[in-house]
Amino acid sequence: MELTNREIFFKTKEEVKNKNLEISDNEIFLLIEKVNNYQNYTNLILNFDKNLANLNFFNELKERLFNGEPIQYILNSAPFVDLDIYVDQRVLIPRVETEELVTKTRYFIEKLELEHKAIGDMCTGSGCIALFMKNSFKDSQIYGSDISQDALEVASQNSKNLNLDINFLCGDKTKPFIELGVKFDVFISNPPYVQNKEDIEEKVKKNEPMNAIYSEDGVAFYRDVFQNYRKFMNDKFMMAFEINYDQEHQLTELVEEYFPSDKKYMFLKDIYGLTRFLFILKGYKYDQIN
């Protein structure tokens, strides 16, 4: 049986309604685009009354969506600022908060005219942070580390897909950077920081790698960085972290414990009004930042 793109859209929309599923029209559109190999939504609309290319393939993807699998894994694609990142179940799906982290970091580097010859990304996952920094600062040497070899395979694939050269290292926390002997001007990380599993949505628990989200000690990764930063950071530097909304007090104590008196640090909120970012600077002032 042949169906047009329009017919399959409304048929699927009715199924979603009857099954009381939380699936948006846009997700259905994206499946149709995938099956037809359309490049964008405009391409779909221009061909809305043409036949769907492969009904069986569409039904396979639809069942995955109906079963709660994230659309990004089904499409093997997730937007990250101005990049298209390949993702699958081996890596965390990039979040809007992490987009904020990297765009704020880029802003500070440019606003303060910070050195950025070498930039490190700990817990790189899909590589989205490292790739964004390389795309923003083409002349910088970018290093990304992760304990998961599976994640690094995805990151390396993204590096090739986007033609952005990243030095990926396998190892726990800061250890691979220390062993390599590299020194960074900028260090950025979105480590596993959720300590309370009740804060994690069931859909995320079911589909995404928990070791990229959950940590029995929510500040373990930050503590490791703070304890060892002299081994892999230059004398002047900026560090940028994504953090959990409830960690400001703990991290303040750790910053005060491990960094000298001449450091500067600030906590910033995300678009939802939650404390989500920590920036630490040494050898720089940030008074002129609006």
Side-chain angles (χ1 to χ4, degrees), residues 67-132:
N67 287 330
E69 187 174 346
I71 187 69
Q72 295 91 338
Y73 288 155
I74 297 171
L75 302 177
N76 294 129
S77 175
F80 189 73
V81 194
D82 49 1
L83 299 176
D84 180 28
I85 302 294
Y86 173 91
V87 293
D88 59 31
Q89 282 84 352
R90 292 174 290 177
V91 296
L92 192 68
I93 297 168
R95 265 56 171 187
V96 65
E97 294 90 344
T98 310
E99 290 183 301
E100 283 191 81
L101 173 68
V102 297
T103 53
K104 288 179 187 297
T105 301
R106 179 175 64 185
Y107 169 75
F108 291 160
I109 290 172
E110 294 174 343
K111 179 75 173 180
L112 298 177
E113 299 181 349
L114 304 183
E115 287 290 343
H116 52 276
K117 293 176 183 176
I119 301 174
D121 167 29
M122 183 182 72
C123 305
T124 195
S126 65
C128 60
I129 291 176
L131 293 160
F132 174 86

Side-chain angles (χ1 to χ4, degrees), residues 34 42 53 69 77 93 105 143 167 211 232-233 240 256 284:
K34 174 78 171 179
T42 301
E69 187 174 346
S77 175
I93 297 168
T105 301
Y143 297 79
N167 303 289
N211 64 350
F232 57 88
M233 299 302 297
E256 291 294 344
Y284 296 105

Side-chain angles (χ1 to χ4, degrees), residues 24 68 79 86 98 119 129 151 168 230 242 247 273 275:
S24 67
Y86 173 91
T98 310
I119 301 174
I129 291 176
F168 289 117
R230 290 181 177 85
E242 185 173 326
Q247 292 177 329
T275 300

Side-chain angles (χ1 to χ4, degrees), residues 4 40 43 82 100 114 130 143 167 180 186 215 257 260:
T4 66
N40 50 50
N43 203 202
D82 49 1
E100 283 191 81
L114 304 183
Y143 297 79
N167 303 289
L180 186 65
V186 176
S215 176
E257 178 181 356

Side-chain angles (χ1 to χ4, degrees), residues 33-50:
E33 288 177 28
K34 174 78 171 179
V35 170
N36 287 293
N37 199 28
Y38 294 151
Q39 298 304 307
N40 50 50
Y41 176 74
T42 301
N43 203 202
L44 167 61
I45 294 306
L46 290 173
N47 293 280
F48 209 37
D49 289 307
K50 292 187 177 180

